[in-house]
Amino acid sequence: MKRLRRIRALMSGRMDNALSEALLGQLAATKEGAWLAMAMIGGEVGRTGAHEKMRVIEHLGDEERRHLVEELKSALVTPIDREDLFRLSRSIDDVLDSLRDFVRESYLYRVPDQIRFTPLLDQVIEGIDALENAVRVLASHPSAVVHDALAAKKTGGSIRRMYQYEIARIFSGELTANAMKERELVRRLEIVGMAIGEAADAIADGAMKR
């Protein structure tokens, strides 16, 4: 009986929707984490408050990932290969984890001027938006996924270039304790960009196989 219910769900499209909704839930939590980091560096949210709020956001993302893994265990057919869906979910999780680390390290290091990280976080949010667009059309228009995946990949490359310029700026001055703390924070955002690129590769690979 349970198997028949799952077959009916598959035929009505609800199974694809469950997987997509879990991914979108992960991305929503990840974007919330990125906006929290932006509010923190802009002074709208204190470091301590951001650190505490990020724990809640991370938990929401973990719950959505757990839901996706549970759906994958019993899904008869998936919009793209299970391995690519799992890679995508894991990479999104890596984005959120690295944003969590950025907020935590900002709380610990107390770097005085963080507003200069705004352009990097702008690109992070743009990359998450592109991944959201790709996931929304994953089941219905897989051919449209690649365009949005490439847009997400491009933001990862932009973050990498910004990181390089920031490192050059830091190393051109006196290597004080604050300079080394800045280096760690900007490196954390580079890792976020790398994870966005990996997520883009996962969803593009899956769509191209269809």
Side-chain angles (χ1 to χ4, degrees):
M1 191 66 182
K2 182 178 179 181
R3 184 176 179 82
L4 287 174
R5 285 198 298 270
R6 296 205 68 80
I7 291 172
R8 285 199 297 271
L10 172 64
M11 293 178 68
S12 65
R14 288 198 296 272
M15 192 171 297
D16 279 350
N17 287 343
L19 293 168
S20 295
E21 287 302 317
L23 287 168
L24 289 171
Q26 268 193 275
L27 286 163
T30 304
K31 188 190 289 187
E32 188 176 353
W35 278 114
L36 176 63
M38 185 75 86
M40 180 192 69
I41 67 170
E44 299 168 40
V45 178
R47 298 174 206 255
T48 301
H51 185 227
E52 293 170 352
K53 288 179 181 178
M54 186 59 92
R55 293 176 186 169
V56 177
I57 294 170
E58 183 188 14
H59 178 71
L60 292 173
D62 288 344
E63 281 298 303
E64 293 292 350
R65 177 160 166 73
R66 182 191 62 77
H67 180 58
L68 179 129
V69 171
E70 288 300 316
E71 287 291 332
L72 278 177
K73 287 179 182 176
S74 53
L76 300 176
V77 177
T78 57
I80 58 175
D81 284 356
R82 294 168 191 271
E83 293 82 1
D84 293 320
L85 279 172
F86 190 84
R87 278 176 59 207
L88 173 58
S89 177
R90 182 182 60 205
S91 296
I92 296 168
D93 188 54
D94 289 343
V95 175
L96 181 53
D97 284 351
S98 295
L99 285 167
R100 173 208 61 201
D101 290 342
F102 174 80
V103 169
R104 178 189 293 159
E105 289 168 11
S106 173
Y107 164 75
L108 292 171
Y109 299 162
R110 305 285 169 171
V111 173
D113 179 18
Q114 299 186 114
I115 199 69
R116 66 177 311 105
F117 299 138
T118 299
L120 287 101
L121 283 168
D122 277 337
Q123 286 299 299
V124 168
I125 292 167
E126 190 172 322
I128 296 169
D129 283 340
L131 289 172
E132 279 185 327
N133 292 337
V135 169
R136 285 195 180 97
V137 297
L138 186 57
S140 57
H141 299 93
S143 60
V145 168
V146 176
H147 176 269
D148 293 312
L150 287 173
K153 185 77 173 178
K154 184 178 178 181
T155 66
S158 295
I159 292 167
R160 174 67 176 171
R161 287 190 297 276
M162 290 178 182
Y163 161 78
Q164 290 168 340
Y165 282 112
E166 283 296 305
I167 290 297
R169 176 190 62 81
I170 291 167
F171 284 173
S172 67
E174 185 182 355
L175 294 182
T176 63
N178 273 340
M180 298 312 293
K181 290 174 183 178
E182 280 189 24
R183 176 185 179 275
E184 291 301 309
L185 289 175
V186 77
R187 168 61 177 159
R188 192 61 60 190
L189 292 177
E190 187 212 13
I191 294 171
V192 172
M194 290 169 61
I196 289 173
E198 288 163 3
D201 286 341
I203 197 168
D205 289 350
M208 291 298 289
K209 292 175 188 175
R210 291 195 59 169

